[in-house]
């Protein structure tokens, strides 16, 4: 079936009302709503259709009546009000800003409720998920990998749950990277309550999304449904810690069904929280020791996009906003990538590893984040290899 | 080329002397010695051949002269004396008791120096190797897995080095299982010195082997050579801890080249000693959380042999020599495997896990090792599944 017309403009008030009315119609499921959009091309057309037209499209009598009666408009109006109060926006599946990979899953949500930087929905995403009761090791691994992946240019997607999710979001923000929180409740709700500040920060520096209407409470049954969005938006799902039967195991299963890469961080076999990731690896998930283990599994065009992104950031000198403007302008003028990459390669040895800290000191005129980005490019190009403990070697001698 | 005649008898004094003379001939390498045996059918024939016959068989002039001159017989006589003093035996590649898998590698040692239970050389072996500087986690993992694999009927092969090797041998012995130490020096030497007592114990309850002559010191260059025997004898190699460039990484590489299964125990990515095993898993090694992860990868006929072995042990009641004779005879009379297996299945639930300790208490009249063996059989049969922390569930409800 051809997709409905795609637009990149914000909805008009009236269009928004129709989308919301469709969303609020009792008994109308995600799949069915998506099919109606495909058939009638717009929610307005669906809601203006007669009962018999709707029944001809395969709807049951009760739902057809609900739709045709327009009874959902009252709820829709109230939703619109709440959305405005929360400073939120609607991104329907027909919007060009809708997450591209999410559009391809079996049951994409027809309508997303969004707060924050909508443009992030079009970026390359990697989901980082795990247990709500992590060990210190799990928190360290989640933070380190999320930070490195964010610096490499991937947007970190998670569910803002306690534990691993929270660590992943925070690490991305702290690295100046991008992050998306997918809620299992309305975007005007906060769950868990202790994450109120984090939710606000994500809504301002990242983006918060949900398929659940404004005011929807965090019902337990929402979370598995929500998890399909986390994996569906992302190129892959990285599971950090979790038991064999955890929510993250479910997300990993969904990811595999959606044909997404599944990644897992191994852990000691004596540690219960590592049982899930270790089991996933046994079942075929990719073992992740460091960020590049994720990146190498991405499609070549995706990797190229990351490198370009990285290069652009460096050229305009805004990778690290804490850089002095003098340094930034020097970078712009001198063609920094080339010069600094040469300097990095001069310091690196082919036989003995060089520590990142040492590199940062030895290469003058480049900020730590520039050095990291350069190492990232060189590693992707196969010229440099990372060893344990943030050490680097040159792959070939000069 | 057809193999030379295979015999299962101990060598005569004279035959032994010829094998030793072949071994002690300067400049004659392993591959070349093996080829000569294939061509001339016995070391006696090799050593009685003329220089021109030897050169026609492809030997260089110098080695042909060494052989034909019989200059190695003095060393051979001295070797024979030392072998007798140490209570050792020779097992040449033509002996039916020679490790079957070892015979198939590219460069099998033509002659093994052996102390202990020669019959173990024909058993099913799994190598357990790792770093000489393990963490407490590595020691725990090595001990637990070696114990469980030994109880399951596999012979634990290792190199008696400090650390993981030592833990593997000890755990096998403590579980009443079988173990083989492959030395990188003569079997009358001990390296490291602190393992003198362990070496004696292995020589009496297991077996010690080497391809190096009596008195050969533990030269560093011997160890990689020795490692090919460890992997070559074994159905697979399990790497517990080690850095990226460790000896165990080399053993794993040899194992892969020899078409053996490579297994690795994952560990925290923040732990340097787990870098090697994690990397091996990335490269295709099987991740091992518990003993059965090794067993399921073995060939079906090997698994059947393990089950039969296990069943036989139980029937004659000698699995655990500390059992009271009353229990043993009760087991023999009652057809224990069937009765006890039924009892185990009565206690197990399909939905909630049962701890091993609980099972041992709940199933009367069976020793812990019987229960473990029964669980092993039921697990292989697919009726029972093990969960983290030695918990078990029934796979199907009744």
């Amino acid at each position: 079936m051809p997709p409905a017309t795609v637009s990149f403009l914000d909805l008009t008030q009236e269009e928004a009302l129709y989308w919301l009315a469709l969303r609020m119609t009792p008994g109308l499921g995600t799949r069915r709503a998506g099919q109606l959009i495909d058939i009638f091309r717009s929610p307005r057309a669906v809601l203006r259709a007669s009962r018999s037209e709707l029944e001809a499209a395969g709807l049951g009598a009760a739902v057809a009546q609900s739709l045709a009666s327009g009874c959902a408009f009252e709820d829709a109006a109230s939703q619109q009000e709440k959305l405005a109060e929360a400073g939120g926006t609607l991104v329907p599946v027909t919007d060009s800003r809708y997450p591209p990979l999410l559009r391809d899953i079996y049951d994409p949500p027809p309508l997303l409720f969004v707060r924050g930087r909508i443009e992030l929905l079009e970026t390359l995403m990697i989901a980082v998920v795990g247990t709500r009761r992590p060990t210190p090791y799990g928190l360290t691994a989640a933070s380190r990998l999320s930070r490195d992946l964010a610096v490499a240019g991937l947007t970190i997607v998670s569910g803002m749950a306690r534990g691993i999710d929270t660590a992943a979001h925070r690490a991305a923000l702290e690295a100046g990277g991008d992050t998306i929180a997918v809620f299992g409740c309305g975007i005007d709700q906060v769950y868990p309550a202790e994450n109120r500040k984090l939710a606000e920060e994500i809504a301002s520096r990242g983006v918060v999304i949900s398929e659940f209407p404004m005011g929807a409470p965090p019902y337990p049954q929402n979370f598995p449904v929500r998890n399909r969005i986390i994996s569906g938006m992302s190129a892959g799902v990285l599971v950090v810690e979790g038991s064999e039967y955890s929510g993250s195991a479910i997300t990993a299963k969904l990811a595999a069904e959606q044909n997404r890469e599944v990644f897992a961080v191994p852990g000691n076999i004596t540690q219960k929280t590592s049982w899930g990731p270790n089991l996933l690896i046994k079942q075929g998930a990719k073992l992740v020791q460091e960020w590049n283990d994720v990146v190498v599994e991405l499609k070549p065009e995706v990797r190229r996009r990351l490198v370009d992104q990285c290069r652009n950031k460096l050229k305009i000198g805004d990778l690290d906003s804490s850089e002095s403007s003098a340094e930034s302008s020097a970078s712009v003028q001198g063609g920094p990538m080339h010069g600094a990459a040469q300097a990095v390669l001069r310091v690196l040895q082919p036989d003995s590893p060089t520590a990142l800290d040492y590199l940062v000191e030895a290469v003058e005129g480049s900020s730590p984040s520039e050095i990291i980005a350069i190492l990232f490019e060189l590693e992707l190009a196969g010229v440099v290899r990372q060893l344990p403990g943030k050490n680097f070697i040159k792959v070939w001698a000069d």
Side-chain angles (χ1 to χ4, degrees), chain A:
Chain A
M1 198 166 303
T5 324
V6 169
S7 147
F8 62 92
L9 294 172
D10 277 348
L11 299 173
T12 64
Q13 287 289 93
E14 198 202 347
E15 284 168 335
L17 200 65
Y18 280 110
W19 276 106
L20 288 167
L22 193 72
R23 179 66 184 85
M24 303 308 288
T25 299
L28 184 63
T30 298
R31 278 283 291 169
R32 195 55 98 181
Q35 286 162 351
L36 289 177
I37 295 296
D38 283 340
I39 295 168
F40 291 90
R41 321 301 287 170
S42 78
R44 181 202 306 256
V46 175
L47 284 147
R48 287 187 170 174
S50 67
R51 271 186 62 174
S52 58
E53 282 173 313
L54 290 168
E55 286 182 31
L59 273 199
V63 183
Q65 168 150 26
S66 282
L67 271 174
S69 73
C71 69
F73 276 99
E74 200 171 321
D75 277 350
S78 145
Q79 282 289 316
Q80 201 160 28
E81 217 165 282
K82 288 182 191 157
L83 190 67
E85 270 167 33
T89 321
L90 296 177
V91 176
V93 68
T94 50
D95 193 314
S96 68
R97 298 164 305 178
Y98 190 89
L101 293 177
L102 187 60
R103 204 179 265 130
D104 295 338
I105 71 171
Y106 171 76
D107 47 0
L111 187 61
L112 293 177
F113 297 76
V114 180
R115 265 185 81 200
R117 296 171 54 209
I118 295 187
E119 68 272 23
L120 292 188
L121 300 180
E122 295 174 80
T123 56
L124 294 169
M125 303 173 203
I126 179 90
V128 178
V129 299
T131 179
R132 277 165 293 152
R133 287 175 298 279
T135 65
Y137 163 65
L139 290 175
T140 302
S143 300
R144 183 196 291 184
L145 291 165
S146 300
R147 178 199 62 195
D148 292 352
L149 289 166
V151 168
L154 285 155
T155 298
I156 306 298
V157 179
S158 197
M160 216 184 71
R162 281 191 192 104
I164 299 299
D165 287 18
T166 294
H169 289 302
R170 271 197 216 289
L173 290 173
E174 278 162 18
D178 298 324
T179 193
I180 301 178
V182 185
F183 280 14
C185 53
I187 56 169
D188 55 344
Q189 309 293 300
V190 176
Y191 181 83
E194 74 235 35
N195 272 349
R196 182 164 301 279
K197 229 185 110 194
L198 178 62
E200 281 312 311
E201 206 176 337
I202 297 175
S204 83
R205 295 176 50 199
V207 61
V208 167
I209 70 169
S210 178
E211 69 175 317
F212 298 103
M214 308 300 287
Y219 292 124
Q221 66 269 27
N222 291 359
F223 292 95
V225 176
R226 180 273 312 262
N227 290 350
R228 90 184 190 293
I229 302 186
I230 293 180
S231 54
M233 292 166 72
S234 306
V237 172
L238 173 61
V239 179
V240 179
E241 279 192 325
S243 71
E244 188 172 353
Y245 304 105
S246 57
S248 31
I250 297 173
T251 310
K253 193 165 167 287
L254 289 169
E257 285 168 9
Q258 291 167 344
N259 207 16
R260 304 287 180 259
E261 284 288 351
V262 180
F263 301 95
V265 178
N268 292 351
I269 60 172
T270 46
Q271 184 61 51
K272 210 174 154 186
T273 41
S274 287
W275 196 263
N278 285 341
L279 186 67
L280 287 172
I281 294 167
K282 269 201 304 206
Q283 294 166 344
K286 301 281 188 268
L287 184 150
V288 172
Q289 286 175 295
E290 46 175 13
W291 64 273
N292 201 18
D293 293 328
V294 171
V295 171
V296 295
E297 298 294 338
L298 301 177
K299 296 198 184 80
E301 65 269 23
V302 174
R303 291 217 302 279
R304 261 196 300 279
R305 200 171 136 189
L306 283 178
V307 171
D308 288 347
Q309 222 169 280
C310 196
R311 191 176 284 135
N312 288 336
K313 272 190 189 165
L314 282 176
K315 282 206 184 118
I316 54 167
D318 69 348
L319 186 68
D320 187 345
S321 54
S322 67
E323 283 168 47
S324 77
S325 61
E327 270 176 331
S328 293
S329 63
S331 296
V332 175
Q333 288 158 8
M337 199 62 198
H338 186 72
Q342 293 298 334
V344 166
L345 286 174
R346 268 194 301 276
V347 176
L348 288 177
Q349 305 289 325
D351 35 17
S352 79
T354 305
L356 177 60
D357 292 346
Y358 178 83
L359 257 180
V360 166
E361 297 219 349
V363 178
E364 286 178 20
S366 296
S367 70
S369 32
E370 277 176 346
I371 302 284
I372 290 168
I374 286 163
L375 287 166
F376 168 63
E377 268 224 44
L378 294 174
E379 207 175 338
L380 280 184
V383 182
V384 156
R385 243 181 92 221
Q386 190 170 172
L387 300 179
K390 298 276 155 211
N391 290 300
F392 295 84
I393 52 166
K394 206 161 22 178
V395 172
W396 295 294
D398 293 315

